[in-house]
Amino acid sequence: MGDKARTPSGAPGGARAADHPSALRNVVLVGPSGSGKTTLVEALALASGAVQRAGRVEDGAALSDYDAIEHRQHRSVQLSLVPLEWDGIRINVLDTPGYADFVGELRAGLRAADAALFVVSAADGVDAGTRLIWQECADVGMPRAIVITHLEASRADFSEMTRRCQDAFGGDDPDAVLPLYLPLHGPPGADGHAPVRGLYGLLSRRVFDYSGPERADREPDDGEGPVIEEARNRLIEGIIAESEDETLMDRYLGGENVDVKTLVSDLEKAVARGAFHPVLAAAPAAPGARHGLGTLELLELVTGGFPTPEEHPLPAVTSPDGAPRPALRCDPAGPLAAEVVKTTSDPYVGRISMVRVFSGTLRPDSVVHVSGHGLADRGHEDHDVDERVGALTSPFGAQQRTLAHAVAGDVACVAKLTRAETGDTLSGKDDPLLMTPWRMPDPLLPVAIRAHSKADEDKLSQGLARLVAEDPTMRLEQSPDTHQVVLWCLGEAHRDVALERLRSRYGVRVDTEPHRIALRETFAAPSSGRGRHVKQSGGHGQFAICEISVEPLPVGTGIEFADKVVGGAVPRQFIPSVEKGVRAQAAKGVTTGHPLVDVRITLLDGKAHSVDSSDAAFQTAGALALREAAAAASIHLLEPYAELTIQVPDDYVGAVLSDLAGRRGRVLGTEQSAGSTTLVRAEAPELEISRYAVDLRSLSHGSGRFSRAYVRHEAMPGQIADRIREAEENGG
């Protein structure tokens, strides 16, 4: 790396490299919005020969961010794939959104990749979300490297940013995060800022000068050599510490001169197994230069230091019924096992599935088995179907270039899989498999919607089904209590994109409305009521009288019905009718229209007529009796409580606890967690936490996470209950 003379392949748009996993690299770019990921992808495409000028492909279409919503919002909102080729190696670059609301797209990119390149802006630093993703990668041993961008900014300081990366990512071993190159600054400009015009190669002791049309490789000047020696020695010691040759450190400390070839080999091995994380630099191309600074070094790192798909552990598989199956190998001749990592809809082509092939070879026009399990709670019902694969393509900007096949380790797009959804497994129809799904973030922001017009109402169901098929981080709920259609999203930006996609892709306009919480009613004290339903209008009349008592029960008991009628005052055949009537009335509520719960209703007495009594009459009398009992009693309004598990850095615990108190929350306890974080357990009314997904992010500067689970309904404070009753009476 850095001493290798490699040249771009010149294959436009990433033409196919050798059809074998060893000639593939899958790299995901991770970093916050504004860190420069998409700009870096375009610079890499230019350096590799995939495009002839920055941001453009041969026909003038944009290289990336071609989604109309991304253009309007000026930010990436979806995972995109850009295939490149360098030195005979095909590189699938997966560019991910940096905004926290689209972490589902980022995790899909992590699933499809074999290594991660963390993009950190020298002008902004390392944010909390990037630290969390780094830890997720560390937990599964994914190889990682760091590229520091925006070195052209006036306040950029490569050395300081490297130190901050060591603090954020190095853990107990900061020497596992070290630069391979140091920026070479030119003369200061009129503003006093010295631009970066080249790089010092620490291992090769060469200077790579990017100030001309092409990168120049030269010996350092007399004044440049000493600058690199301290950093070079630390890098060598860091590499040797991770070497598989346990004698190398002793030999080095004993004065042996370790040759560069050995160091590069050990570095590549340490990077590939996730033990060492090199830091590189990137900056825009100088005026007249063909390459952006650091792009060629990045391509060398990816092809030489990142692992092939054969070296990366594969997801566990079972049969669709859960029976264990042998572990997969990244073998083009093995059984087919691929996974849908992204689903989009094209107005002309239809549904397009981006798939990572883990085993076997995927071919167009073949029949595959599509298995989807484990996401039924998010609107993705379990399914096992056979489908015919349409065309296989490799995306490049808005283009789709036809592929003859996709071998194990590759990432490609598949057309016309009408039933496949994000997270589904594609396998041989005669040998169906199911992959263990990757961890999806929980959508915790509810958005209640309704069709804008009758025409939209007719299309709403199909549009929502297609929307959630694309995005497993979204959950669709049709509440039986509030009769609302609710989309559960990751945040406000996620919500806005979902509603815009409904409108622009599927032609469905919707309006949002306040999300209603499923409240309940119960009796605060015992009461009684009499239901009299007597009518006579010629012919058979209606006659039923019943008397009941109502008493409250403990929370969670539900509705109990008891019969204490004596002497046959209510004939036995009509007692179930009374029960049916009071239960129907309880389901509708007795004051505010919310279901009645946690009471015992006892039938005490009544009267019947030998001719005019009927099932319907006693149902009506039972309902009337319950309403009369409610009118004579005090009724409590019950609200649902959720148990919250909140994980935040220690610095924000005080703010979180104070905020919970303002939400009528009860803290159950706190405990120390890994990485200077605290786990807070609390209970809070759901009325107060509908926007907690947004508020916690703001409160903790993006570093907090939480989960929620319903625990029970509790009596609402009187003044809040009165306010809700008043609002409901006024139609609010």
Side-chain angles (χ1 to χ4, degrees):
M1 300 178 200
D3 61 333
K4 300 179 181 179
R6 290 182 173 176
T7 57
S9 66
R16 302 294 289 180
D19 279 333
H20 190 272
S22 62
L24 292 167
R25 303 291 186 275
N26 299 307
V27 183
V28 61
L29 268 59
V30 179
S33 292
S35 60
K37 296 188 301 299
T38 300
T39 302
L40 182 62
V41 171
E42 293 174 350
L44 292 172
L46 183 64
S48 68
V51 297
Q52 302 307 311
R53 59 191 180 96
R56 314 296 288 182
V57 291
E58 293 79 355
D59 65 354
L63 169 64
S64 58
D65 283 357
Y66 57 87
D67 185 275
I69 296 173
E70 294 182 316
H71 279 304
R72 283 192 290 274
Q73 299 207 0
H74 304 290
R75 64 183 167 198
S76 297
V77 301
Q78 62 179 351
L79 174 70
S80 60
L81 170 64
V82 179
L84 311 175
E85 187 176 331
W86 178 258
D87 198 35
I89 301 295
R90 176 180 168 88
I91 306 170
N92 290 317
V93 180
L94 295 145
D95 187 12
T96 64
Y99 198 67
D101 279 11
F102 307 105
V103 67
E105 299 278 328
L106 187 152
R107 290 209 177 127
L110 292 174
R111 178 69 158 208
D114 302 309
L117 189 61
F118 280 72
V119 183
V120 177
S121 169
D124 300 318
V126 183
D127 71 334
T130 305
R131 293 171 187 253
L132 292 174
I133 299 301
W134 180 277
Q135 188 57 49
E136 285 189 24
C137 293
D139 291 342
V140 297
M142 175 173 278
R144 286 146 285 153
I146 302 155
V147 56
I148 297 176
T149 59
H150 294 164
L151 290 176
E152 73 281 5
S154 59
R155 63 183 186 275
D157 185 329
F158 181 82
S159 296
E160 170 61 17
M161 190 50 59
T162 298
R163 185 193 64 76
R164 292 167 67 178
C165 287
Q166 289 171 336
D167 291 343
F169 304 139
D172 297 331
D173 185 10
D175 282 347
V177 178
L178 292 171
L180 298 183
Y181 305 88
L182 295 181
L184 173 67
H185 292 270
D191 60 355
H193 176 62
V196 179
R197 61 180 177 86
L199 298 170
Y200 293 110
L202 295 182
L203 292 182
S204 61
R205 286 194 176 106
R206 304 287 293 175
V207 171
F208 302 96
D209 192 337
Y210 279 84
S211 60
E214 299 287 340
R215 182 183 76 167
D217 178 354
R218 62 174 174 80
E219 293 282 346
D221 296 337
D222 291 341
E224 293 172 339
V227 176
I228 70 173
E229 286 309 305
E230 181 180 351
R232 184 178 193 270
N233 291 336
R234 187 177 179 187
L235 173 62
I236 290 174
E237 290 177 9
I239 294 172
I240 292 176
E242 300 297 338
S243 174
E244 295 175 350
D245 183 350
E246 297 180 357
T247 70
L248 192 57
M249 180 62 79
D250 291 335
R251 287 155 45 201
Y252 172 74
L253 294 176
E256 181 177 325
N257 184 27
V258 182
D259 66 275
V260 171
K261 186 175 181 180
T262 298
L263 291 172
V264 170
S265 176
D266 283 347
L267 170 63
E268 292 178 343
K269 292 174 183 177
V271 171
R273 68 174 186 270
F276 187 84
H277 315 294
V279 181
L280 296 96
R290 179 168 182 261
H291 300 130
L293 183 140
T295 52
L296 301 182
E297 288 76 14
L298 275 170
L299 289 169
E300 291 167 2
L301 170 68
V302 169
T303 54
F306 281 172
T308 72
E310 295 172 301
E311 300 172 75
H312 191 66
L314 302 189
V317 292
T318 66
S319 62
D321 62 5
R325 296 294 301 272
L328 295 175
R329 292 175 55 251
C330 185
D331 179 2
L336 177 64
E339 189 170 36
V340 179
V341 295
K342 178 179 175 59
T343 309
T344 57
S345 294
D346 184 278
Y348 305 105
V349 181
R351 183 175 292 185
I352 298 175
S353 304
M354 183 189 296
V355 302
R356 162 70 191 260
V357 183
F358 288 100
S359 172
T361 300
L362 186 63
R363 304 182 187 279
D365 207 38
S366 59
V367 177
V368 298
H369 186 79
V370 180
S371 299
H373 297 258
L375 291 173
D377 63 323
R378 301 192 184 191
H380 301 252
E381 298 299 329
D382 291 353
H383 52 273
D384 287 290
V385 296
D386 290 340
E387 288 203 76
R388 185 173 295 277
V389 173
L392 287 184
T393 57
S394 179
F396 200 71
Q399 301 179 15
Q400 294 285 340
R401 293 176 174 166
T402 302
L403 301 178
H405 53 264
V407 300
D410 208 351
V411 182
C413 291
V414 184
K416 298 181 180 179
L417 290 178
T418 58
R419 293 292 303 279
E421 301 178 353
T422 302
D424 283 1
T425 303
L426 309 183
S427 55
K429 69 182 183 69
D430 298 324
D431 186 19
L433 300 171
L434 181 66
M435 287 189 176
T436 303
W438 68 85
R439 187 165 68 91
M440 304 285 187
D442 291 326
L444 296 166
L445 179 68
V447 182
I449 60 173
R450 63 171 181 270
H452 181 74
S453 66
K454 180 64 170 68
D456 296 308
E457 189 174 336
D458 295 337
K459 298 182 289 184
L460 180 60
S461 178
Q462 182 180 10
L464 289 173
R466 294 170 71 181
L467 188 69
V468 298
E470 292 183 12
D471 188 354
T473 66
M474 187 174 295
R475 177 161 59 89
L476 177 63
E477 175 187 52
Q478 302 196 39
S479 172
D481 295 310
T482 64
H483 307 292
Q484 285 185 309
V485 176
V486 181
L487 280 176
W488 287 84
C489 305
L490 295 176
E492 292 176 313
H494 192 210
R495 172 203 63 194
D496 293 344
V497 167
L499 299 185
E500 176 63 14
R501 282 178 176 162
L502 274 178
R503 185 193 66 79
S504 60
R505 287 188 182 177
Y506 309 128
V508 182
R509 294 180 302 164
V510 297
D511 299 318
T512 61
E513 59 185 12
H515 176 237
R516 295 194 291 272
I517 302 297
L519 303 179
R520 300 285 186 266
E521 300 173 340
T522 195
F523 278 62
S527 184
S528 60
R530 185 172 189 266
R532 185 176 186 275
H533 183 62
V534 178
K535 289 188 177 180
Q536 188 68 47
S537 56
H540 282 300
Q542 300 181 52
F543 187 97
I545 297 174
C546 63
E547 296 180 7
I548 64 170
S549 67
V550 184
E551 57 186 310
L553 294 176
V555 172
T557 306
I559 299 289
E560 291 184 4
F561 181 82
D563 166 27
K564 290 190 177 179
V565 175
V566 295
V570 176
R572 305 307 303 170
Q573 69 268 29
F574 293 132
I575 290 176
S577 304
V578 176
E579 180 179 2
K580 188 175 181 181
V582 298
R583 287 188 180 276
Q585 184 62 54
K588 290 187 276 187
V590 291
T591 58
T592 59
H594 300 292
L596 178 71
V597 296
D598 301 336
V599 293
R600 178 184 290 115
I601 302 168
T602 304
L603 177 60
L604 301 173
D605 201 359
K607 292 183 181 179
H609 188 278
S610 59
V611 175
D612 294 340
S613 291
S614 66
D615 170 67
F618 270 100
Q619 285 189 47
T620 303
L624 290 171
L626 184 57
R627 293 211 296 266
E628 183 178 284
S634 174
I635 302 297
H636 278 169
L637 204 55
L638 305 179
E639 60 181 333
Y641 266 68
E643 182 177 3
L644 304 178
T645 302
I646 309 162
Q647 188 163 16
V648 290
D650 297 341
D651 292 345
Y652 301 112
V653 173
V656 167
L657 297 181
S658 177
D659 178 73
L660 285 171
R663 298 174 187 271
R664 299 189 283 127
R666 295 189 293 264
V667 177
L668 304 179
T670 62
E671 58 187 77
Q672 200 62 34
S673 190
S676 298
T677 62
T678 297
L679 203 64
V680 179
R681 301 188 187 278
E683 292 179 349
E686 292 190 6
L687 277 171
E688 305 286 351
I689 59 171
S690 60
R691 284 180 48 84
Y692 198 59
V694 176
D695 297 339
L696 179 64
R697 184 179 299 165
S698 174
L699 196 66
S700 64
H701 295 249
S703 60
R705 294 177 291 177
F706 82 104
S707 61
R708 58 187 285 175
Y710 167 79
V711 284
R712 62 185 168 277
H713 276 70
E714 288 189 15
M716 184 182 294
Q719 64 184 50
I720 298 178
D722 292 342
R723 189 164 65 241
I724 288 178
R725 289 190 181 102
E726 181 179 352
E728 291 178 343
E729 289 171 0
N730 294 331

